[in-house]
């Protein structure tokens, strides 16, 4: 799962339990997990115009879409945990700025699911340190924010543990972003349908009205993107979460995984740069 809070819920695991997995601590990293950094991923780049670009992959293990800002530990499932995802991004950017990002002419910053939400949270932070053009790619990173809904309450719990504040709406986040956005989103996100208590069946005719209602809610949520200068929004009319090609993703299955394709690139919760 992409998120964790102070207890196990239908939406999230507890951050305390998550620390014992690769989704909660880099101590449990596999031997390798990213085709960006491994010889088996060379074929991905050989057919793109980015073959000579620098590539950076950030492992996702904070459970809060890189939002955590707390200086001290918090309790989750009876265990003290650190929720410092935002600080992790700040530290990485500081290192990358001296390693070449601070001189980049073009940079792409993107992620998927919780990583996509993290891109929205930190897009402008990246744009401030890159002197050239910056574009931010968000795939499956929009989550319904209807106040009072089951999904929104769960997201507020996640944000509350990591930041001490309710989960910000898309409109609020967009006010802080000046860089161009490329957003790809399923209008019937399978993950949100499942954990929000909706149906995930696209075959049963009796479920179509429910799916259509969810689709309309997603479109309404994305409305702040409309007319925004330099922003592209693509809504996928399928019941799915990640919209990257399944056969290619399966070929490089290494949790939390990363796949890069032009003009889009994907990662299971991870954040990544190319410059």
């Amino acid at each position: 799962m992409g998120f964790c809070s102070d207890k196990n819920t239908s939406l999230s695991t507890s951050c305390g339990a998550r620390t014992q997995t690769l989704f909660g601590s880099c101590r449990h990293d596999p031997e390798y997990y990213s085709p960006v950094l491994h010889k088996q991923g060379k074929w991905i780049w050989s057919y793109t115009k980015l073959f000579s670009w620098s590539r950076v992959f950030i492992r996702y293990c904070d459970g809060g879409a890189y939002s955590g800002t707390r200086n001290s530990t918090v309790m989750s499932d009876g265990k003290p945990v650190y929720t410092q995802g935002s600080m992790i991004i700040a530290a990485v950017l500081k290192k990358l700025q001296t390693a070449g990002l601070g001189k980049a002419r073009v940079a792409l910053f993107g992620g998927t699911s919780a990583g996509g939400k993290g891109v929205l949270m930190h897009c402008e932070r990246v744009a401030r340190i890159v002197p050239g053009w910056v574009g931010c790619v968000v795939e499956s990173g929009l989550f319904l924010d209807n106040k009072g809904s089951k999904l929104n309450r769960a997201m507020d719990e996640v944000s509350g543990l990591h930041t001490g504040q309710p989960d910000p709406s898309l409109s609020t986040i967009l006010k802080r972003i000046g860089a161009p956005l490329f957003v790809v989103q399923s209008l019937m996100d399978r993950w949100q349908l499942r954990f929000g208590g909706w149906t995930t069946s696209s075959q049963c005719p009796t479920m179509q009205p429910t799916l259509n209602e969810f689709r309309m809610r997603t479109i309404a949520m994305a409305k702040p993107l409309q007319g925004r200068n330099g922003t592209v929004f693509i809504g996928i009319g399928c019941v799915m979460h990640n919209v990257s090609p399944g056969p290619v993703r399966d070929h490089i299955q290494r949790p939390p995984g990363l796949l890069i394709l032009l003009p889009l690139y994907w990662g299971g919760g991870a954040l990544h740069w190319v410059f």
Side-chain angles (χ1 to χ4, degrees), residues 9 11 16 28-29 36 57 59 61 84 92 106 108 125 128 155 165 176 190 210 216 271-272:
T9 68
L11 174 83
H28 304 288
D29 278 354
V36 172
F57 175 87
R59 260 272 281 113
C61 63
Q84 299 180 336
V92 172
V106 179
L108 299 176
R125 175 182 262 178
R128 284 198 300 267
M155 293 299 287
Q165 301 294 327
R176 304 194 293 259
R190 182 184 296 275
T210 303
M216 296 307 295
L271 296 182
H272 35 283

Side-chain angles (χ1 to χ4, degrees), residues 59-225:
R59 260 272 281 113
Y60 178 61
C61 63
D62 84 312
Y66 305 95
S67 64
T69 55
R70 294 181 180 269
N71 290 314
S72 57
T73 59
V74 295
M75 298 302 295
S76 173
D77 201 20
K79 298 179 180 179
V81 296
Y82 290 94
T83 56
Q84 299 180 336
S86 181
M87 300 177 190
I88 292 173
I89 297 301
V92 172
L93 284 176
K94 183 177 180 180
K95 179 68 174 180
L96 291 178
Q97 191 171 7
T98 60
L101 189 62
K103 299 178 182 179
R105 291 175 294 175
V106 179
L108 299 176
F109 175 45
T112 292
S113 190
K117 187 176 178 68
V119 169
L120 287 170
M121 302 292 287
H122 299 289
C123 175
E124 200 59 26
R125 175 182 262 178
V126 175
R128 284 198 300 267
I129 69 171
V130 175
W133 184 89
V134 174
C136 296
V137 182
V138 179
E139 190 244 326
S140 304
L142 305 184
F143 297 86
L144 288 183
D145 52 12
N146 301 75
K147 291 301 179 183
S149 68
K150 180 180 179 181
L151 190 61
N152 180 252
R153 290 195 300 270
M155 293 299 287
D156 279 346
E157 290 180 0
V158 171
S159 182
L161 180 73
H162 289 261
T163 70
Q165 301 294 327
D167 188 49
S169 67
L170 178 61
S171 296
T172 300
I173 295 173
L174 290 177
K175 291 177 182 178
R176 304 194 293 259
I177 301 176
L181 293 172
F182 191 99
V183 182
V184 184
Q185 181 80 21
S186 169
L187 300 180
M188 294 170 286
D189 189 305
R190 182 184 296 275
W191 187 86
Q192 295 184 60
L193 283 165
R194 176 184 175 189
F195 292 104
W198 301 66
T199 177
T200 59
S201 173
S202 59
Q203 304 299 322
C204 181
T206 60
M207 298 301 179
Q208 291 304 315
T210 303
L211 291 173
N212 188 59
E213 179 186 352
F214 190 93
R215 181 177 67 86
M216 296 307 295
R217 287 192 182 190
T218 303
I219 292 173
M221 174 188 61
K223 192 172 182 179
L225 294 168

Side-chain angles (χ1 to χ4, degrees), residues 19-88:
T19 60
Q20 304 305 308
T21 73
L22 63 86
F23 294 105
S25 174
C26 59
R27 294 176 180 175
H28 304 288
D29 278 354
E31 182 181 354
Y32 78 94
Y33 43 78
S34 169
V36 172
L37 306 177
H38 193 272
K39 62 182 179 180
Q40 290 189 14
K42 286 184 178 180
W43 65 273
I44 295 176
W45 292 99
S46 60
Y47 299 102
T48 76
K49 294 182 179 180
L50 303 184
F51 69 93
S52 63
W53 289 30
S54 300
R55 303 180 290 276
V56 178
F57 175 87
I58 296 186
R59 260 272 281 113
Y60 178 61
C61 63
D62 84 312
Y66 305 95
S67 64
T69 55
R70 294 181 180 269
N71 290 314
S72 57
T73 59
V74 295
M75 298 302 295
S76 173
D77 201 20
K79 298 179 180 179
V81 296
Y82 290 94
T83 56
Q84 299 180 336
S86 181
M87 300 177 190
I88 292 173

